[in-house]
Amino acid sequence: MDDLISWLNSYATQSIFIATALLALLESLAFVGILVPGVAILATISWLAGQQALSLPLLLLSGFLGAVAGDWISYILGRYASHWIASLKLMQRHPNWIAEGERFFARYGGRSIFLGRFIGPIRAVIPFIAGSCAMPPTRFLVFNLLSAAFWAPVYLIPAYWLGQQAEELKMGWNIWLQLGALVVFIGVLFHAIHHQLAPGKHVYRLLHPFATGAKDLLRTYVFIVLTALLLILCITLRQLTGVSPLELEVYNQLHPPPEYLQVYAVFVTLLGDGIYLIVGSLLTAILITVHTQVRTAVTFMLLMLGVSLLNVVIKHSLGWPRPELGQLLYGSDSFPSGHASSAATLLASWAVLFAHGCSATLKRRIYLAFMLPIVSVALSRVILGVHWPLDVIAGLAEGLLFAAILRWHLGRSEQAPLPTAFQRWLGMGILLLTLGYAVLKGTAALSFYTQ
């Protein structure tokens, strides 16, 4: 029996190295790597290897060999079967796969073998293009070996180390790490959804019949529906369950916060103060009007007013009390958070105005950049003890819903993108307003929230 157990353990160990090599091969294999989530699976396998204290050199060697083999097979396919593969129905449905690879290869030449190894979908295309362009085998092999030698440690060592530190990380897996992981997950999820709703993607083709004529607005329609459903869900949960045990546990774990986080929360929460919101809204509306888009300026101001009115209506309808500290500082009800909803509307509207007319990739980057302050304002209300967690989630949903309506207005009315001068002046105005308000109100806010 002991011999059997020993053999099974040995087989399990060997299987991890074999799986690493196989997945590295598939991740690098022509066009297969685009469809296989190899990086995510490799990270999981590396984590398991680290947790079981398996040999790191063997793990790296497995990944290296698999990556070299995958690129070499792709090169051979490109050199001897490029016309046949290009004629396949799958390739005809996705002509951009080869086109993007050819542009990348034309720009960087041999270096594209090395660089492409670290760039998502390009990784599985460049070796095929190199073969189809008759790149000398010896030259390709040099770039192949060098890139794989760098790729294996970069992609495998971090997850392996996390596996080694699993127990220590588990002990330190407190609420702050959980919240950080949640924010990262939301960002990645948003990026993935936004990408999949691009024209030509599977989800886009699936949903587009429900938004006939929407053209570039399908993402906006989906986002409006999702945020509206989230707001309705939050209202329903508050009515049915009140403050749930889970919500109370999260709130209690956040208190008392570390001093530096409390100071950060005080300054971030200023972005949801009434004066900041009014000045920021007027500044934005004036700049939009100056650039002759009066309808957009009026729509923006109506949305800022609308989110405030809706917030007041829901607050008075539910009448849910704040946490104990919040009751000492404020006389208004708790649900939903007015700071979170109004700040989300203003900041997300700024993101919409900056992103309007940009490419899908640049839009995602702008939206993700604004996500940090939007989420920070919401989280600050819980850290400061003036709102329950569900209050700020509902506030976020409410604010993002109204910002999405502004995005719908810009797309529906086919408004031209605002000029670079508008973006420059708005950016300067936001920076000066934020810094000036922090200087003027920061000390008083610290005294108010830490009394």
Side-chain angles (χ1 to χ4, degrees):
M1 180 62 70
D2 291 339
D3 292 339
L4 177 60
I5 293 174
S6 176
W7 179 82
L8 288 173
N9 288 334
S10 173
Y11 181 78
T13 300
Q14 294 172 9
S15 67
I16 285 183
F17 296 130
I18 294 171
T20 300
L22 180 60
L23 281 165
L25 186 153
L26 292 176
E27 179 69 12
S28 305
L29 192 58
F31 310 110
V32 175
I34 298 175
L35 306 174
V36 175
V39 171
I41 303 175
L42 278 171
T44 303
I45 292 175
S46 300
W47 183 86
L48 290 172
Q51 191 181 43
Q52 297 178 28
L54 301 184
S55 170
L56 178 59
L58 282 178
L59 183 73
L60 294 177
L61 179 62
S62 301
F64 169 79
L65 293 176
V68 169
D71 268 19
W72 186 252
I73 295 172
S74 300
Y75 173 82
I76 296 299
L77 289 173
R79 194 171 181 89
Y80 299 106
S82 59
H83 294 295
W84 175 74
I85 290 178
S87 66
L88 295 176
K89 289 185 178 180
L90 177 64
M91 303 309 300
Q92 292 175 355
R93 286 201 300 267
H94 301 280
N96 58 305
W97 288 355
I98 292 179
E100 290 176 3
E102 289 176 340
R103 284 195 295 269
F104 193 84
F105 186 78
R107 180 175 181 181
Y108 295 104
R111 290 176 298 163
S112 64
I113 309 299
F114 186 93
L115 297 173
R117 177 81 74 178
F118 299 89
I119 304 176
I122 294 294
R123 182 186 306 118
V125 178
I126 291 299
F128 175 86
I129 300 298
S132 67
C133 292
M135 184 178 185
T138 304
R139 187 163 183 252
F140 173 81
L141 184 60
V142 171
F143 282 111
N144 185 12
L145 293 172
L146 284 174
S147 62
F150 279 90
W151 176 85
V154 168
Y155 274 77
L156 300 180
I157 288 179
Y160 182 89
W161 177 82
L162 288 173
Q164 284 185 316
Q165 308 298 320
E167 290 302 320
E168 289 78 0
L169 290 172
K170 184 177 180 180
M171 293 176 61
W173 185 242
N174 56 30
I175 187 64
W176 302 106
L177 286 174
Q178 294 177 46
L179 288 173
L182 179 61
V183 170
V184 172
F185 172 77
I186 292 173
V188 172
L189 181 63
F190 167 80
H191 185 280
I193 293 174
H194 192 271
H195 178 68
Q196 285 299 320
L197 288 172
K201 296 295 181 181
H202 177 70
V203 178
Y204 178 91
R205 293 195 300 269
L206 186 66
L207 295 179
H208 198 261
F210 298 99
T212 303
K215 200 177 179 180
D216 191 38
L217 289 177
L218 182 61
R219 292 187 180 102
T220 306
Y221 287 132
V222 171
F223 196 75
I224 288 174
V225 170
L226 291 178
T227 50
L229 289 175
L230 179 58
L231 178 58
I232 293 171
L233 176 63
C234 290
I235 294 173
T236 304
L237 288 174
R238 181 59 85 221
Q239 287 181 313
L240 295 179
T241 66
V243 178
S244 66
L246 175 61
E247 187 179 3
L248 185 60
E249 181 183 354
V250 171
Y251 178 87
N252 289 333
Q253 288 188 40
L254 290 172
H255 297 94
E259 184 177 353
Y260 68 92
L261 272 178
Q262 187 171 25
V263 172
Y264 174 76
V266 168
F267 279 92
V268 167
T269 208
L270 293 175
L271 300 178
D273 279 7
I275 296 176
Y276 181 90
L277 294 169
I278 292 172
V279 175
S281 299
L282 290 175
L283 170 67
T284 305
I286 290 171
L287 287 174
I288 296 174
T289 303
V290 167
H291 289 88
T292 68
Q293 293 196 10
V294 179
R295 286 181 60 189
T296 300
V298 172
T299 301
F300 167 75
M301 290 302 295
L302 288 175
L303 289 171
M304 290 301 303
L305 179 62
V307 74
S308 299
L309 292 176
L310 178 60
N311 192 273
V312 170
V313 169
I314 298 176
K315 277 181 182 288
H316 285 289
S317 298
L318 297 183
W320 196 264
R322 294 176 182 265
E324 185 176 349
L325 179 58
Q327 294 179 33
L328 295 175
L329 299 178
Y330 291 93
S332 58
D333 296 315
S334 184
F335 183 93
S337 167
H339 270 70
S341 61
S342 297
T345 304
L346 179 62
L347 296 176
S349 294
W350 284 341
V352 166
L353 292 171
F354 279 118
H356 183 51
C358 297
S359 66
T361 300
L362 186 55
K363 282 181 181 179
R364 284 196 294 273
R365 292 173 182 173
I366 294 172
Y367 293 153
L368 289 172
F370 274 89
M371 186 184 78
L372 178 60
I374 290 172
V375 174
S376 295
V377 172
L379 185 58
S380 72
R381 306 305 288 169
V382 184
I383 293 174
L384 296 174
V386 296
H387 277 289
W388 302 106
L390 194 62
D391 299 345
V392 301
I393 295 174
L396 282 174
E398 183 185 359
L400 294 175
L401 171 62
F402 276 76
I405 294 174
L406 177 64
R407 170 69 185 92
W408 171 83
H409 163 77
L410 292 173
R412 191 72 173 179
S413 58
E414 297 185 349
Q415 291 282 357
L418 288 157
T420 304
F422 166 84
Q423 297 179 346
R424 182 169 58 249
W425 282 107
L426 179 59
M428 291 175 56
I430 292 171
L431 181 61
L432 291 175
L433 172 62
T434 303
L435 293 177
Y437 194 73
V439 170
L440 291 174
K441 293 292 185 178
T443 303
L446 283 170
S447 176
F448 177 75
Y449 286 110
T450 59
Q451 60 184 340

